[in-house]
Amino acid sequence: MSETDKQEKINILKDKTLFTRLVKEAKPVWYLFAISLVAILILTYAKALRPKIISNAIDTYIEPFLKGNIAKDIAKLGIKNAAKFLLMLLVIELGFSCVRNFILTYAGRKIIYNLRLKLFKHVQKLPLSYFDKTPVGTIVTRVTNDPSALNEMFSSILVGFSQNIFYMMFILYMMFTSDIRLTVISILLMPLIVVITSIFRLKARKIFRKARAKLAAINAYLSEHITGVRIIKSFHMQEKKIEAFDDINKEFYQANMSQVVIMGIFRPLINIIKYLTIAILLWFAGIRYMNGAIEIGILYLFISYIGELFQPLIELADQFNTLQSSFAAGEKIYTLLDMDVEPDTDNKFKFEDIKGEISFKNVWFAYNDEEWVLKDISFTIKPGENVAFVGHTGAGKTTIISLICGFYEIQKGSITIDGVDIKTIRKKEFRRNIGLVLQDVYLTSGDIYSNIKLNDPEISNERVLEITRYLQADTFINELDGGFNHKINQGGTVLSTGQRQLISFARALVYDPKILVMDEATSNIDTQTEELLQNALKLLMKDRTTISIAHRLSTIQQSDNIIVMHHGEIRETGNHQDLLNQGGLYYQLYKLQYNSKI
Amino acid sequence: METRLYKYLLKYKYKFFLGIIFIFALNFLQIKIPQIQGHVIDLLTDHSIDKKTLFYYILIILALASGTFILTFISRLMILGANSHFDYFMRGKLFEHILALSMNYFTKNGAGEIMALTTNDLSQMRRALSRGFTMITSIIILFILASYQMFNVNHKLMMLVMIPFPLTIFIIIRFGPVLRRKHRIMRESFADLTNTAQENISAIQVVKAFTQEKNEVRRFTEKNKKNFNSHISMAKTSSVFRELIYLTSTLSLFILLLYGGNMVIDGKITIGEFIACNTYVLMLIRPITMLGMVINVFQQSSASWKRIAGLLGIEIEITETVTEEEFRTKHKTGEMLNGNICFNDLSFTYTGEPQPALHNINLKIDNGTSIGIIGHIGSGKTTLVNLIMRLYETPERNNLQINGFDIKDIPLSLLRRSIGYVPQDDFLFSDTISNNIDFNEIPLGIDKIENAAKASEIHESILSFTKGYETKLGERGVNMSGGQKQRISIARAIIRNASIIILDDCLSAVDTHTEEKILKGLKQYTDGKTTIIIGHRISTVQDCDQIVVLDHGTIVEQGAHEQLLKNNGLYKKIFDYQQLEEEIESI
């Protein structure tokens, strides 16, 4: 399957289920959230107290002094003390804000850290069929980016939510204890804000969705036309396509503009309600002041609080939106986590002194439903035997190799190693005894050592040196810049196909496996390396059961047994000379492959 | 193309200018409101106000508020509108530029990267130019206006109260490098983490086969931890940074209470003025604390623009010297060129490739004849076609002549109108069938579409769809087989009735029997036209007037089918191999 055909399905979860699952992720760090909640309580209280201090200073010192009720130095002292108290509050606020910020980031990051690890561990256990169906990029995004999207939810939304609610409650409390009537007037228009906000949210969401859809259309158009750019150019349709693109682009622009208009009305509208409230307040408070019912500081207090009271309301609506996008990431994450892992058993069985006999009994296998790739395959490979599989493209050779490694589950029949059905033992146990050499050698970033050791700490550098010397691969490695410490960059590597093969031989050999499974490289290999490979192969196969998909004539000729496959069935078996003499399919394939050499 | 941002922004200079004017005006109105509140308070404390005057002031406040409402709306419309248009304009420009680039660009850059530019990077630019721009101008204007108002109240008080704000700027500048460094470490550790995951997943088969899951988890944990630590280290600095900015700006409140309070007592300012100043300070705090964020947005957008400019800066290789009209009057050609094609010692190397794709090609294709090109994958067959369609530039003048003209001199529209091309992959657009067939600058109409469909034997199948020719491809339920798509793509080429027809290995997906049928059907349309048939199967090319065998970019054999078989060279070898393969397949 090509990378572009791969797709993934996302499970839709209920918001409630999703939310509970996400909250569960926070359980290990609940105490951090508890601490930050306390910090938030204190700091929002301190913040809400600020205007109160100034209003008190006005009402207890400034006003009385102006009315001639208290002496100048008492008033000045009072103001000084109030200012000191304010400074103290600011410092407290600063301290607790720092604590809150740090603890929240810590908690959020810890959750992300755990979640990523959980995802990665889970991915390691997924069956190979999952990787066949899902593009690498998508899996990487699931493990790395999607948890990041959740960070918002844990460290700002949930807390921002509570912070806004606390703050509003404290402000209302302060207002209420100062003057009940003015409080009622101040919150008179609040329902209006809630109504306007929800109406605009609805409208904005609609337009937002429209803009999103248009953007998706732009992306789809671009993707299609960049893929088909050859056709566009060949038919000289650039101008027409530019016009067509302009139509879609313009639609997106218009959607954006309606967003600008909607939001352009919404924000100032909230503002105007704020001023309307202030105006009403000023009217009633003014009259109450004239009647001597309130002091001037109270008026100040309410004017200050009204400005503050509106902000959390607007933010609450914003936070709800972000929550939605976190949910989307959560859905993707749980789709992956809910995926079934590779079937495995708990059987603690261990091979003692494995001999390496492999046998297939009436094996039927299909990647999808009933499209059989292997039909009733049976064969036995004796310990130490050397068997080559040959066949035309699509004969099922690679599948056999994958099945021996237990990458896929067979539908019918059984596969045994030393007479033990591999279904009944742990995958780890039999894979440990198999050395796999693949056609395309995937090199990871790192040096030669780590590429041979595959980052396994149990293998020493000495072992690597020993093995490479044994395979005579040390010569070319030493010639590399930096020798065994040569850094391999993904993509831009200098190693030839043959050299990569040698690395992969060494990779298999460091574990000294009893069974060697090999898919030979098909690409042209220069004669010098070819010779090296030949020798290495001989050493590699010594005293081991070897199963190979052979492309090289020499490998085939050395085999004890050749199994010829065709359309998922075994057609012929025997050694090279016998099969040639038979003049059947093997003979034909031989001619096809080595046409020039006949 | 132009890569300097300001050149594009100049287009919106009036809108930006008006936007700034309106921002100024609205802030001017907004800052008057606290002043009036203060005035009312003073009148109240002096007991020199009656209900009527109070009502009058309240009306003024409401009028000012309505003023800000309208001005905010207009200023947003100006600035955000200009940005939306910039976004739209740039996206169109980018698309236009991309289409003008030679195929070289597309072999190196995938659709994903281009889409990232036109969506992520452009929206990043929009964010910076709208939110960033409005905030910066607002902060500056508000700062000036608030200072002015306070100055009018008492210049000493203004100085004292404003001290913390420059201090905030100082903190932002001081913390800048540290934050940037930590941010970089965060990004790098994330990239590292992504790479580790990427490597692991790409090599999952090896990991499983060698039972390295545990080691891989350990390696991932290491990177994960590093990433975690980088975030924690960032959190330590940034949480202090953020709160420090906040504290410094709120310090103004403390100074105001201390000095302002005393000034009221000393009778230097009134209580109403004191309260008004308080409101000014509160108005300033919120935007100032967001300054750090704004700077961040600007930094990101500059990286985005660098990427966009990188694309815009790629030079357009394939250019025209004259317009089609001029060319046609000068050379007295018709709507189409004739099909004489001549390669003169042409060698061609793709940019960045070490080996040339074509070596010293000398080939003459006479008008109205057919030519078959055969060879292994990578032998240079498609490169020949790429050059004839001028999808890539020929290295030297007169390397390739069509109708006797150097290909570099022929206007692209005339050249490509003269060619009917059937590509290797049956790429169709998600558009109606009729639009897919009639893929021409000037539509040819339904009659010709139907004729072309009939000729490529797809007419009946199209009619079997409920919407017939108006069926949209790629929609749910519309599934076309590879063979059907192939025929539509053939119809798309023959409807043009061009003098040169190119079949680029387009029949490799169908079996030899179908291939024969299609080729036979095409015969009447290709008669009298230069026909270039590319294939890797002998059966595809065997009936051509002449056959060229390519190997590693060189013409190794040339001649008719029978003659080439007799030659006993590469052609014969391919022939034998394919015969064998067919035998094996039929077992």
Side-chain angles (χ1 to χ4, degrees), chain B residues 339-372:
Chain B
N340 270 314
I341 301 170
C342 190
F343 288 90
N344 300 313
D345 204 28
L346 176 134
S347 296
F348 180 80
T349 311
Y350 286 105
T351 330
E353 293 289 322
Q355 297 291 326
L358 291 174
H359 282 286
N360 309 92
I361 299 290
N362 282 295
L363 182 65
K364 209 168 162 339
I365 308 167
D366 287 329
N367 189 21
T369 63
S370 66
I371 181 167

Side-chain angles (χ1 to χ4, degrees), chain A residues 352-372:
Chain A
E352 278 172 36
D353 195 23
I354 187 168
K355 290 182 193 68
E357 188 205 65
I358 296 168
S359 141
F360 273 50
K361 277 194 202 95
N362 309 99
V363 173
W364 287 75
F365 174 76
Y367 290 100
N368 310 310
D369 297 329
E370 299 264 297
E371 294 167 31
W372 299 111

Side-chain angles (χ1 to χ4, degrees), chain B residues 72-356:
Chain B
T72 314
F73 179 70
I74 298 175
S75 74
R76 286 181 78 113
L77 210 58
M78 287 292 149
I79 290 170
L80 303 192
N83 278 301
S84 294
H85 196 272
F86 170 78
D87 174 86
Y88 154 79
F89 179 76
M90 286 314 296
R91 190 173 293 108
K93 268 267 170 259
L94 281 170
F95 186 64
E96 203 182 315
H97 185 66
I98 287 165
L99 284 190
L101 292 174
S102 100
M103 290 303 293
N104 266 328
Y105 176 76
F106 299 96
T107 45
K108 270 183 259 139
N109 299 276
E113 283 165 72
I114 299 168
M115 269 148 61
L117 272 184
T118 58
T119 52
N120 298 349
D121 285 324
L122 272 183
S123 63
Q124 183 64 42
M125 290 301 298
R126 196 173 62 196
R127 210 169 305 144
L129 291 170
S130 53
R131 214 195 298 171
F133 180 83
T134 27
M135 275 178 103
I136 286 282
T137 31
S138 283
I139 290 170
I140 294 170
I141 291 171
L142 200 62
F143 189 77
I144 295 168
L145 287 173
S147 306
Y148 175 74
Q149 290 286 348
M150 282 196 249
F151 187 84
N152 279 347
V153 173
N154 185 297
H155 65 270
K156 204 175 148 203
L157 182 67
M158 178 278 241
M159 305 271 213
L160 285 168
V161 169
M162 284 306 190
I163 285 174
F165 292 108
L167 208 65
T168 318
I169 310 275
F170 176 73
I171 292 173
I172 291 173
I173 293 168
R174 263 316 280 274
F175 269 83
V178 185
L179 287 173
R180 266 202 297 281
R181 187 170 53 81
K182 294 204 169 184
H183 208 267
R184 206 194 59 229
I185 295 171
M186 242 163 69
R187 251 199 339 260
E188 282 169 0
S189 73
F190 182 74
D192 214 17
L193 182 79
T194 310
N195 272 340
T196 310
Q198 168 110 30
E199 280 192 358
N200 168 271
I201 292 158
S202 306
I204 193 78
Q205 208 177 351
V206 179
V207 171
K208 281 177 178 284
F210 286 83
T211 58
Q212 291 298 306
E213 288 93 340
K214 271 206 181 121
N215 284 324
E216 289 293 304
V217 168
R218 190 178 44 78
R219 205 155 77 99
F220 183 81
T221 309
E222 222 172 84
K223 306 285 181 192
N224 199 11
K225 189 137 232 163
K226 259 195 191 150
N227 180 251
F228 173 75
N229 287 338
S230 74
H231 277 277
I232 299 307
S233 154
M234 180 66 165
K236 277 181 196 156
T237 317
S238 73
S239 60
V240 173
F241 167 72
R242 248 167 47 197
E243 296 314 319
L244 218 52
I245 291 185
Y246 187 63
L247 178 81
T248 11
S249 19
T250 44
L251 269 184
S252 293
L253 284 177
F254 161 74
I255 298 171
L256 186 70
L257 179 58
L258 193 60
Y259 290 96
N262 276 322
M263 282 178 173
V264 178
I265 288 170
D266 292 336
K268 284 182 190 147
I269 60 171
T270 67
I271 191 157
E273 285 169 337
F274 171 74
I275 289 172
C277 286
N278 213 298
T279 316
Y280 300 145
V281 171
L282 286 176
M283 280 170 102
L284 272 172
I285 289 176
R286 191 178 289 277
I288 293 246
T289 50
M290 286 175 131
L291 212 55
M293 193 197 82
V294 175
I295 289 169
N296 196 12
V297 168
F298 275 119
Q299 268 167 359
Q300 280 171 7
S301 76
S302 104
S304 285
W305 181 256
K306 252 184 216 156
R307 282 190 287 270
I308 293 170
L311 174 55
L312 288 171
I314 298 174
E315 216 180 306
I316 296 170
E317 261 182 281
I318 293 162
T319 51
E320 293 169 300
T321 44
V322 285
T323 65
E324 186 181 337
E325 220 170 294
E326 286 166 359
F327 185 89
R328 276 167 59 179
T329 355
K330 190 176 163 200
H331 297 288
K332 303 203 170 49
T333 57
E335 276 192 353
M336 231 174 256
L337 299 165
N338 75 32
N340 270 314
I341 301 170
C342 190
F343 288 90
N344 300 313
D345 204 28
L346 176 134
S347 296
F348 180 80
T349 311
Y350 286 105
T351 330
E353 293 289 322
Q355 297 291 326

Side-chain angles (χ1 to χ4, degrees), chain A residues 246-266:
Chain A
D246 188 60
D247 290 340
I248 305 174
N249 196 10
K250 203 170 257 159
E251 279 174 29
F252 178 58
Y253 165 68
Q254 279 152 358
N256 271 334
M257 277 313 280
S258 7
Q259 230 171 336
V260 167
V261 171
I262 284 283
M263 291 319 278
I265 295 173
F266 174 66

Side-chain angles (χ1 to χ4, degrees), chain A residues 410-476:
Chain A
I410 54 171
Q411 279 87 349
K412 283 183 233 169
S414 69
I415 301 171
T416 59
I417 295 177
D418 281 8
V420 185
D421 191 333
I422 60 169
K423 256 187 195 162
T424 62
I425 44 178
R426 285 199 301 173
K427 293 229 153 40
K428 200 183 151 188
E429 179 50 28
F430 68 86
R431 281 180 188 165
R432 200 168 55 86
N433 289 294
I434 297 172
L436 178 69
V437 175
L438 289 172
Q439 205 178 84
D440 302 312
V441 182
Y442 188 86
L443 298 177
T444 59
S445 56
D447 56 13
I448 302 282
Y449 281 127
S450 70
N451 263 291
I452 291 175
K453 289 199 280 189
L454 289 169
N455 302 302
D456 192 335
E458 280 172 33
I459 295 162
S460 65
N461 285 357
E462 285 69 39
R463 173 91 180 133
V464 172
L465 289 173
E466 185 196 330
I467 293 297
T468 44
R469 211 174 305 130
Y470 178 67
L471 290 175
Q472 290 177 329
D474 55 337
T475 340
F476 93 82

Side-chain angles (χ1 to χ4, degrees), chain B residues 540-583:
Chain B
T540 318
V541 297
Q542 59 188 9
D543 293 331
C544 292
D545 297 336
Q546 69 169 325
I547 299 164
V548 164
V549 185
L550 278 177
D551 190 32
H552 292 103
T554 325
I555 298 179
V556 287
E557 281 181 288
Q558 198 170 350
H561 177 67
E562 296 301 328
Q563 186 196 336
L564 287 174
L565 284 184
K566 272 181 222 149
N567 275 2
N568 213 9
L570 183 58
Y571 188 79
K572 176 72 166 49
K573 250 188 201 167
I574 298 171
F575 182 79
D576 289 342
Y577 186 89
Q578 285 175 359
Q579 292 267 308
L580 248 173
E581 211 170 27
E582 232 169 273
E583 267 174 53

Side-chain angles (χ1 to χ4, degrees), chain B residues 476-493:
Chain B
R476 238 171 226 283
V478 179
N479 275 324
M480 280 202 151
S481 70
Q484 285 175 323
K485 284 191 201 162
Q486 194 65 264
R487 281 159 209 245
I488 288 195
S489 126
I490 291 170
R492 177 172 64 190

